[in-house]
Amino acid sequence: MKTRKLIERIKALFDADLRLSLNKQQSLHQVLEQLRLKQKKLQAELLHEQDSQRRDKLQLKIDLVHSQRKKGLILLKQAQADAGPVNLTAAGTDSDHRCDDDAANDGSDTRD
Amino acid sequence: MLRKALLPSIFVLLAYSFWLSPDFIAIASGVAIFLFGMLSLEEGFRAFSGGMLEKVLKRSTDKLWKSLSFGIVTTSLMQSSSLVSVITISFMSAGLIGLSEGIGIVFGANLGTTTGAWLVAGFGLKVKLSLYAMPMVVFGVILLFQKAIHLKGIGYILTGIGFLFLGIHYMKEGFDAFKDNFDLAAYAMSGYTGLFLYSLIGVLATVVMQSSHATLVLIITALSSGQISYENALALAIGANVGTTVTAIIGAMGSNAQGRRLAGAHLIFNVFTGLVAIVFITPLLYAVDAISLWLGIGETDYTLKLAVFHTLFNLLGVMLMLPLIQKMVLLLERLIKEERVEIAKPRYMVASAVQFPDTAVEAVRKETNRVYDNARDIIITGLGMSKSLVLSEAELEKPLAAQRSVNRINIDDLYQRRVKSLFSAIIAFISDAAFSWKEHQSGSLHWLRDANSSIVESVKACKHLQKNMLHYLLSDNYQIRHEYNQLRMRIALLLRQLELLRQGLVDDHSLLSLDEIRLSLLEWDKRQNLRYYRLIRDGKITPEMGSSLINDAGYVDDIHDSLLAMATTLFSQSKRQRNAVERELSLDDAELDEILSAAEQARRVP
C-alpha cells in the first residue's frame, strides 16, 4: 500500500492534472471531515435541547450540513474517478466519509 | 456648535432689523428675490446643457474676440451689463462655459454698456427692461407647468430674469430712502481727492440705484445744472462703473466657485479700469477733447463728452486687461477654491503592483475591502440606521422600532464618490494587469471583480429600497412601520454576521457557513410573503402598502444575494484549493429549498 502511494506521488510530480486532482481530493477530504464533526456537534446539542423552536433551528442546520456532505461525497467520487484507477491520498478514502448509511449521521432520523 | 448657532443668529438679527426699518425689509427681500431669480436662471440653463444652447454658446465664445463681441452685442441689446454678467455667472454655474470665456463676455459687457451712455447723453433715451419683469414671470410660470424639458427650461429662464428685475426693483425701493442724501454738489472738490471722493459717491449711488444708467442720468442732470464740475462728473462715471459690479457680486453669492470667480474677475476689471482712469485722468481728458473735436461734439456739450469718456476708459481697461486674462484666471482659481468633494481614491493599487501578480491580487483584495466598507456604511445610513448600532452586539429590534426621525442621505451622490470611484479604479487596474499571469491569479482577479460588481448591485438595490423605507418608517400605521423595520433588521443582521465572518470570529468561518445564512433568509422569505398577504387580507395594511412591501422585500433579497456573493470571495479565510472546493459544495437555491420543504413536511407529520 505504501509503495503504491509512493508511486502515485511520484506520478503526480510529473503530471499537473493528476496533481491538481489529488489536491482537490485532499481538500474535499478535509472539508468533509470538518462537516462530519460539525454535524456530530449539532446532533449532540439537539439531544440536550428542550425548546421546540431551537430544536427546529438545530435540525435545519443538521439537514443543511447533511446535504453539503452528500454533495461533497458525490464530488469526491467524481474526482476519484477522474484521477484514474489508483487514487489514494494521504487523507484517506471515501469510505471514511459515508453519511447515508450511518444512522446517527442521518438528520431525518433525529427529527421530532 | 458654532455652525449650529449661526443660522438662528442670522434669523434673529434679520428679524430685529426688519422690526427697526421697513426699508431694510425691502432691501433684504430684494436681495432674496434676486438670488431666487439666479437659482431659477441656473436651473433653466441646466436644462440646455449638452444641447443646442451649449453648442451655440461654445461656438460663439470659443475665441477671445468672439466672447468679447458676444458681451458687447448682448449688453448693447439688453442695455444692462449687470444682467449680462449675472446670466454669464449662471451659464458658468450650469457648466455651459468656462472661466476664460466668461471673463471675455464680462469685458465685452463693459464695452457694451457704454452704448447706454451714448443713448442717455445723445437721445435722453432710457431703456427700461424692468417693465417686462412681470410678464416674464407670468409666461415663465406657465411654461414651468409644461412637460417638455426645454419648455420648462425656458420657463425657468424667464421666471429667473423676471425675478432678477423684481429683486432689483425692491432693492431700489428700499434704497430710495437713502437717495435724497446724494447731494452731489455738497462735496465739490478739485484734484485727486475730489476724484477719489466722487468715484466713491458714484459707487454708492450705483449700489443704491442698482443701475449705472440711472447714475449716469443723475450725473448728466447735475452737470447740466452746473451742480458739479466736469471732472467730478467723470469721477462719478468711473465710480458708477465700479458700483455696477455689486449686482454681479450679489448674483455670485448663490453660485458655485466658477460663478464667484467670474464676479471676482468683473470686480478686478472694473476697479483696475477705474484706478487707471483716475491716475491718467489728464491725458484721458485731452484724448476726450481730441475725439470730441473729431466727432464734431461741441466744446461745452459735456453730456456727450461724458459718453466719449465712458467709452474711452472702458476701452483702455479692456486693452490693458486682455493680455492678463490667463493670469487673472490662475489668480482667481487660487483665491477662490472649488468646494472639495471627498472622492475615495485607491490606496493600495499603485502602478508598480501590476508587475507582481500576487501583490496585485492582494492590492485589489484590500481595495475591494474598502469598497465594501464604504458600501456597507452607505447601506446602513441610507436606511436610517447607525453604524455603531448595526456593528455592535446590542439588541436591534427595540432601538430601530423606537426611532422617530430618519435622516435621508443622498445614496446616489455617496455611491458616485465612495464606491464607483474605487470600483472604476479597480476595473482599470485589473485591465492593466498582464494576461500572462498564472491561471489562479487571473482567476482571483476575476472573482474579485465579480465581488465588486456584487457590492455595487447591493448599493443600487439599497437606493431603490430607500424611498419607501424612509417614507413608511415614519408612517402612522404601526403594522407597515413594523414590517419595514423587519426588512432593515434583516439587512442589519446580515451585515453583522458578515462582519463576524470577515474577522474570523465565528466557529466555522468556511464559505459553507454562508449557506446557513442563505437557508435562514429563504425560510424567512417564505414566511414573510404569506404574512404580507395576510396583512392585506385583514386590512392591517392597504394593498398599496402591501405591493410596496413585496417589491421592497425583493430589493432586500437582492441586497442579501449580492452581499453573500461578495462574501464568498472576499471573506473567505481558506486557501485557494480549499476555497474552490467550498464553492463547489455550496448549496444553490433549489437545494436549499429542498431542505426547507423536507423540514416542513417532517413538521407536519405527527
Side-chain angles (χ1 to χ4, degrees):
Chain A
M1 190 73 168
K2 277 182 181 175
T3 323
R4 280 173 68 192
K5 220 176 192 178
L6 189 69
I7 292 168
E8 194 58 39
R9 284 194 176 170
I10 293 166
K11 256 176 86 183
L13 269 178
F14 301 101
D15 186 341
D17 286 343
L18 181 65
R19 201 164 57 235
L20 205 70
S21 173
L22 289 178
N23 281 341
K24 187 178 175 180
Q25 284 180 49
Q26 196 172 5
S27 296
L28 268 168
H29 277 296
Q30 285 170 359
V31 175
L32 284 171
E33 178 60 18
Q34 214 167 34
L35 285 174
R36 193 179 67 83
L37 293 174
K38 186 177 174 181
Q39 189 174 342
K40 264 192 158 180
K41 193 180 155 202
L42 288 169
Q43 280 165 339
E45 275 179 49
L46 184 68
L47 279 176
H48 298 103
E49 186 58 63
Q50 301 298 320
D51 183 82
S52 68
Q53 263 192 340
R54 275 191 215 135
R55 281 185 70 84
D56 279 352
K57 272 191 179 168
L58 276 172
Q59 187 57 56
L60 211 56
K61 278 186 185 180
I62 293 167
D63 293 348
L64 178 80
V65 178
H66 182 75
S67 297
Q68 286 170 337
R69 288 182 64 201
K70 247 166 100 173
K71 198 173 176 180
L73 268 176
I74 296 167
L75 280 172
L76 183 64
K77 277 181 185 163
Q78 210 172 17
Q80 285 170 343
D82 289 346
V86 186
N87 44 42
L88 291 170
T89 70
T93 65
D94 63 332
S95 56
D96 297 338
H97 301 292
R98 270 199 312 248
C99 64
D100 285 342
D101 51 354
D102 184 351
N105 287 348
D106 194 340
S108 58
D109 292 346
T110 53
R111 192 181 292 283
D112 284 21
Chain B
M1 181 66 193
L2 264 176
R3 197 175 280 182
K4 271 185 184 169
L6 189 66
L7 192 65
S9 314
I10 291 173
F11 273 45
V12 170
L13 210 69
L14 277 174
Y16 182 63
S17 313
F18 292 163
W19 181 65
L20 279 182
S21 156
D23 293 325
F24 188 69
I25 298 181
I27 298 168
S29 58
V31 173
I33 294 171
F34 183 88
L35 287 176
F36 184 75
M38 280 298 293
L39 290 177
S40 179
L41 209 58
E42 259 180 58
E43 186 69 36
F45 286 128
R46 206 161 283 148
F48 292 98
S49 57
M52 198 61 181
L53 183 69
E54 187 165 359
K55 275 186 204 150
V56 171
L57 272 176
K58 283 239 159 76
R59 212 169 287 168
S60 45
T61 58
D62 58 354
K63 292 205 169 67
L64 188 58
W65 68 267
K66 282 189 185 176
S67 51
L68 261 178
S69 314
F70 187 88
I72 295 171
V73 173
T74 47
T75 313
S76 304
L77 288 174
M78 291 190 192
Q79 279 303 305
S80 170
S81 63
S82 308
L83 184 65
V84 172
S85 306
V86 290
I87 290 179
T88 311
I89 288 173
S90 53
F91 280 159
M92 290 180 61
S93 298
L96 295 176
I97 55 169
L99 185 56
S100 312
E101 290 84 2
I103 292 176
I105 295 175
V106 165
F107 283 9
N110 271 288
L111 280 177
T113 195
T114 58
T115 55
W118 287 96
L119 288 174
V120 174
F123 312 105
L125 186 71
K126 180 87 184 74
V127 179
K128 213 172 175 189
L129 213 63
S130 53
L131 281 177
Y132 305 112
M134 294 299 186
M136 272 183 184
V137 173
V138 174
F139 289 126
V141 169
I142 293 171
L143 286 173
L144 282 184
F145 286 107
Q146 304 306 307
K147 276 193 179 134
I149 292 173
H150 283 84
L151 286 180
K152 237 182 197 176
I154 295 171
Y156 273 117
I157 292 170
L158 285 180
T159 320
I161 297 175
F163 277 124
L164 287 187
F165 282 123
L166 208 60
I168 291 173
H169 169 75
Y170 276 109
M171 282 190 250
K172 268 185 193 168
E173 294 262 299
F175 276 123
D176 258 354
F178 308 98
K179 194 178 164 185
D180 298 335
N181 296 340
F182 286 111
D183 180 8
L184 294 177
Y187 313 98
M189 249 182 250
S190 56
Y192 273 108
T193 329
L195 276 174
F196 276 110
L197 186 69
Y198 271 86
S199 298
L200 198 67
I201 295 172
V203 174
L204 288 174
T206 312
V207 172
V208 166
M209 288 184 280
Q210 283 295 305
S211 163
S212 58
H213 280 185
T215 315
L216 274 179
V217 173
L218 196 73
I219 299 166
I220 289 166
T221 320
L223 188 63
S224 52
S225 62
Q227 279 183 302
I228 50 169
S229 68
Y230 174 51
E231 284 80 8
N232 289 340
L234 299 185
L236 281 169
I238 295 169
N241 217 43
V242 177
T244 195
T245 55
V246 169
T247 321
I249 292 169
I250 295 175
M253 272 159 52
S255 167
N256 58 16
Q258 282 289 75
R260 290 202 298 276
R261 283 173 188 155
L262 186 68
H266 196 11
L267 183 70
I268 292 173
F269 174 81
N270 287 33
V271 170
F272 177 78
T273 312
L275 283 175
V276 168
I278 290 172
V279 172
F280 296 104
I281 191 81
T282 320
L284 272 173
L285 280 176
Y286 284 125
V288 169
D289 284 342
I291 293 167
S292 301
L293 194 69
W294 183 63
L295 288 172
I297 296 169
E299 184 100 1
T300 51
D301 194 348
Y302 290 124
T303 50
L304 277 177
K305 276 176 131 182
L306 188 71
V308 173
F309 174 74
H310 197 224
T311 310
L312 194 66
F313 89 80
N314 268 303
L315 195 65
L316 184 70
V318 170
M319 277 160 60
L320 286 172
M321 292 297 278
L322 272 185
L324 301 173
I325 283 190
Q326 284 314 316
K327 280 191 178 155
M328 201 197 265
V329 168
L330 287 176
L331 176 77
L332 288 163
E333 278 174 352
R334 215 175 47 225
L335 288 178
I336 304 168
K337 295 251 188 305
E338 294 266 7
E339 271 172 51
R340 263 184 54 169
V341 181
E342 200 195 327
I343 294 176
K345 288 194 179 112
R347 245 180 237 163
Y348 308 100
M349 294 184 309
V350 287
S352 57
V354 183
Q355 312 298 323
F356 309 100
D358 285 328
T359 319
V361 171
E362 196 46 37
V364 174
R365 180 178 290 278
K366 281 182 175 168
E367 221 62 77
T368 309
N369 264 297
R370 284 184 67 212
V371 177
Y372 170 70
D373 282 338
N374 292 346
R376 179 200 60 201
D377 294 352
I378 293 173
I379 292 172
I380 291 174
T381 45
L383 301 179
M385 300 185 283
S386 78
K387 192 176 156 188
S388 54
L389 174 71
V390 173
L391 300 184
S392 69
E393 287 174 13
E395 192 205 354
L396 273 170
E397 195 159 5
K398 274 187 188 163
L400 290 183
Q403 205 177 348
R404 283 292 165 263
S405 67
V406 187
N407 276 340
R408 178 183 286 273
I409 60 153
N410 187 343
I411 292 186
D412 233 357
D413 174 54
L414 284 172
Y415 163 72
Q416 293 288 342
R417 291 193 286 118
R418 313 215 52 199
V419 175
K420 197 173 182 225
S421 53
L422 281 179
F423 181 40
S424 310
I426 289 171
I427 297 288
F429 186 83
I430 291 177
S431 309
D432 280 348
F435 286 105
S436 56
W437 289 5
K438 286 178 192 166
E439 198 189 328
H440 77 84
Q441 283 144 346
S442 300
S444 302
L445 284 185
H446 163 82
W447 286 114
L448 284 168
R449 196 184 53 209
D450 279 2
N452 274 288
S453 301
S454 298
I455 298 171
V456 166
E457 288 306 316
S458 69
V459 179
K460 286 187 175 171
C462 178
K463 191 188 123 188
H464 293 304
L465 179 63
Q466 187 194 35
K467 195 180 151 204
N468 283 337
M469 171 73 77
L470 299 192
H471 172 66
Y472 285 125
L473 280 177
L474 301 175
S475 168
D476 290 336
N477 183 323
Y478 163 78
Q479 207 61 50
I480 192 78
R481 230 171 40 230
H482 174 75
E483 293 306 326
Y484 270 94
N485 262 324
Q486 289 294 314
L487 284 183
R488 61 176 179 163
M489 215 171 78
R490 295 304 301 177
I491 295 174
L493 284 172
L494 175 71
L495 291 173
R496 231 178 226 191
Q497 279 170 305
L498 289 182
E499 209 54 37
L500 293 176
L501 186 76
R502 179 195 212 178
Q503 292 167 12
L505 296 175
V506 280
D507 294 341
D508 175 13
H509 51 257
S510 76
L511 287 183
L512 294 171
S513 67
L514 291 176
D515 280 356
E516 245 172 63
I517 304 175
R518 278 195 196 97
L519 187 71
S520 79
L521 290 174
L522 203 65
E523 192 191 14
W524 183 80
D525 245 11
K526 284 188 164 183
R527 268 205 324 261
Q528 276 316 94
N529 273 332
L530 289 174
R531 263 171 56 79
Y532 294 160
Y533 286 109
R534 211 169 38 236
L535 287 172
I536 299 170
R537 200 178 51 228
D538 297 348
K540 289 188 175 162
I541 57 172
T542 63
E544 286 75 25
M545 288 174 177
S547 60
S548 297
L549 207 47
I550 291 165
N551 285 339
D552 291 332
Y555 288 130
V556 173
D557 280 350
D558 291 345
I559 294 175
H560 279 144
D561 291 346
S562 309
L563 291 181
L564 285 168
M566 173 279 307
T568 310
T569 299
L570 205 59
F571 298 161
S572 165
Q573 314 269 341
S574 319
K575 286 188 177 159
R576 193 174 49 83
Q577 181 60 54
R578 172 82 185 256
N579 187 283
V581 163
E582 285 175 356
R583 253 181 224 280
E584 279 191 79
L585 253 65
S586 257
L587 302 182
D588 58 30
D589 278 355
E591 289 164 327
L592 292 172
D593 206 36
E594 219 172 275
I595 296 174
L596 280 180
S597 304
E600 191 60 35
Q601 262 183 349
R603 266 189 220 120
R604 280 190 200 138
V605 176

